[in-house]
Amino acid sequence: MRRKILTLVKPATQNPKPAFIRTVLGDVPSHDFGVCYAHEHIIIDPGYVTEKYPVYQLDSVEKAVVELKEFYAAGGRAMIDSMPCDCGRNVLKLAAVSKQSNVHIVCPTGLHLQKYYPPHHWGERLNEDGLAALFIADIEEGVDARDYGGPLLRRTPHRAGVIKVAGGRDKLSAHEIKLFRAAAQAHLKTGCPILTHTEEGTAALEQVEIFRAGGVNLQHVVLSHTDRKPDLKYHRELLQSGVCLEYDSAFRWQSAENPTLHLIVQLAPEFPGQILLGMDAARQSYWKSYGGAPGLSFLLTTFSSQLRAAGLSENLLQNIFVHNPARAYAFV
């Protein structure tokens, strides 16, 4: 449901472009994005990643369509894919899944952790400026059909709508700092939002400081997996910087306690515009369409009911699933 917002009348000479999110099928007004999962893995094609970690292979368009149609039936309308350059990304498959499921999908540019690439990968050889130029080309021109697998470059009409970079455990390496600085450059040039990986929730403050120093608009930065370090003081410090936090461990905890639920109930009323949810379900064993569980509708069914039972209001749920992603993933 669209909210009425009072806005200042601007001079006729100014005609700012309305806020938009860049999906794999084109730009969508932010207010039309709908219920969004903020960090997913919809397609992971065979390659170095799946040879090293076979459990991550998610290469079936047909199964993805089945799963996303169930997500759509539960009220879902959008997903942020988070497999960046040359580690299983397939923009043509993402476009096909989006068309057939009617779910908005945002395709990422950027680079993941070094362990997901072979030794001496081009991501190590390129300098900060070279990486930024590559990310910008994905955002402005279109993603390569072969995902930089060579030998020829063939850009598609499908453009990236988020910059995904990843940091390691406890402290960022020199290579990771280079990636984060390149992401900042690309953000400043294009206005594209940034999504990061934190390893078990660690080193998030260091990520924030690199972006702050690089002039990034922190309201368009989303730090993922931070609920895997469920320390309220740590989360408050992160949220006070202005970044958004994406929680995706709600279905992973094995104990009776659910730290993700506890974090949301405690922090969402205090920071209503900065909490997002996803599943990061990068295994066949999590998808119903591959024979696994709990399926990608879990957050909209089981977990939303648990949050309501814990006292979270409908307004805050609407923020978490609709308004916060629409703001965070909009182009600046």
Side-chain angles (χ1 to χ4, degrees):
M1 184 172 68
R2 192 176 301 177
R3 300 178 300 165
K4 284 191 174 181
I5 303 174
L6 291 175
T7 57
L8 293 173
V9 176
K10 295 186 178 181
T13 53
Q14 294 186 26
N15 186 23
K17 186 173 182 179
F20 70 92
I21 293 170
R22 179 153 292 164
T23 79
V24 74
L25 297 182
D27 294 351
V28 173
S30 296
H31 57 71
D32 288 339
F33 201 48
V35 171
C36 175
Y37 279 15
H39 184 123
E40 298 310 321
H41 294 276
I42 299 163
I43 293 291
I44 305 177
D45 256 1
Y48 182 81
V49 171
T50 58
E51 288 174 7
K52 194 172 179 181
Y53 308 98
V55 296
Y56 292 157
Q57 186 164 318
L58 294 167
D59 59 333
S60 171
V61 169
E62 293 75 17
K63 286 182 171 61
V65 170
V66 168
E67 195 81 24
L68 267 65
K69 281 185 173 180
E70 184 173 328
F71 165 78
Y72 189 96
R77 293 295 181 269
M79 287 187 178
I80 309 299
D81 192 78
S82 55
M83 214 60 180
C85 300
D86 198 23
C87 60
R89 182 180 65 165
N90 186 319
V91 74
L92 297 175
K93 285 187 176 182
L94 289 177
V97 173
S98 183
K99 285 177 184 175
Q100 294 176 47
S101 67
N102 289 318
V103 172
H104 297 307
I105 295 174
V106 173
C107 175
T109 186
L111 286 172
H112 216 316
L113 294 170
Q114 275 185 290
K115 68 180 181 180
Y116 295 129
Y117 299 96
H120 314 299
H121 183 260
W122 52 259
E124 298 178 41
R125 300 195 301 272
L126 286 178
N127 63 16
E128 179 184 319
D129 292 344
L131 289 168
L134 184 145
F135 301 162
I136 292 165
D138 273 359
I139 296 160
E140 295 187 337
E141 300 173 31
V143 175
D144 177 36
R146 299 176 182 85
D147 197 19
Y148 300 117
L152 302 176
L153 184 66
R154 180 167 68 85
R155 295 205 178 274
T156 69
H158 310 297
R159 295 185 289 175
V162 68
I163 306 163
K164 163 72 180 293
V165 285
R169 187 186 298 274
D170 297 328
K171 185 174 176 57
L172 302 188
S173 68
H175 172 72
E176 289 160 358
I177 291 170
K178 178 181 72 172
L179 292 182
F180 277 70
R181 288 176 175 166
Q185 270 198 53
H187 165 84
L188 292 176
K189 172 67 167 58
T190 65
C192 188
I194 298 173
L195 171 67
T196 82
H197 167 99
T198 66
E199 192 73 359
E200 299 298 324
T202 66
L205 291 167
E206 186 179 359
Q207 294 185 11
V208 170
E209 287 310 311
I210 291 172
F211 290 142
R212 196 199 308 272
V216 171
N217 184 328
L218 296 180
Q219 294 179 345
H220 296 272
V221 172
V222 179
L223 309 185
S224 300
H225 322 314
T226 47
D227 54 330
R228 298 179 198 184
K229 184 177 178 179
D231 178 331
L232 276 171
K233 182 180 177 182
Y234 177 64
H235 285 246
R236 282 196 173 96
E237 188 173 359
L238 288 167
L239 290 163
Q240 284 163 0
S241 74
V243 299
C244 292
L245 300 185
E246 184 272 335
Y247 298 159
D248 47 43
S249 293
F251 72 100
R252 289 179 167 85
W253 302 107
Q254 300 300 313
S255 62
E257 294 288 320
N258 189 321
T260 300
L261 186 147
H262 178 68
L263 285 169
I264 295 168
V265 170
Q266 292 293 313
L267 294 170
E270 189 177 347
F271 301 95
Q274 293 172 254
I275 306 293
L276 296 84
L277 281 176
M279 290 188 66
D280 185 32
R283 299 180 184 222
Q284 293 185 13
S285 60
Y286 297 150
W287 291 49
K288 287 184 179 178
S289 61
Y290 282 98
L296 295 189
S297 298
F298 170 83
L299 294 178
L300 298 180
T301 54
T302 304
F303 192 59
S304 288
S305 296
Q306 292 171 351
L307 287 169
R308 290 186 183 100
L312 200 73
S313 71
E314 291 299 323
N315 284 342
L316 287 174
L317 275 173
Q318 188 82 348
N319 280 357
I320 288 168
F321 283 116
V322 180
H323 303 308
N324 297 351
R327 283 193 296 268
Y329 288 118
F331 273 56
V332 178

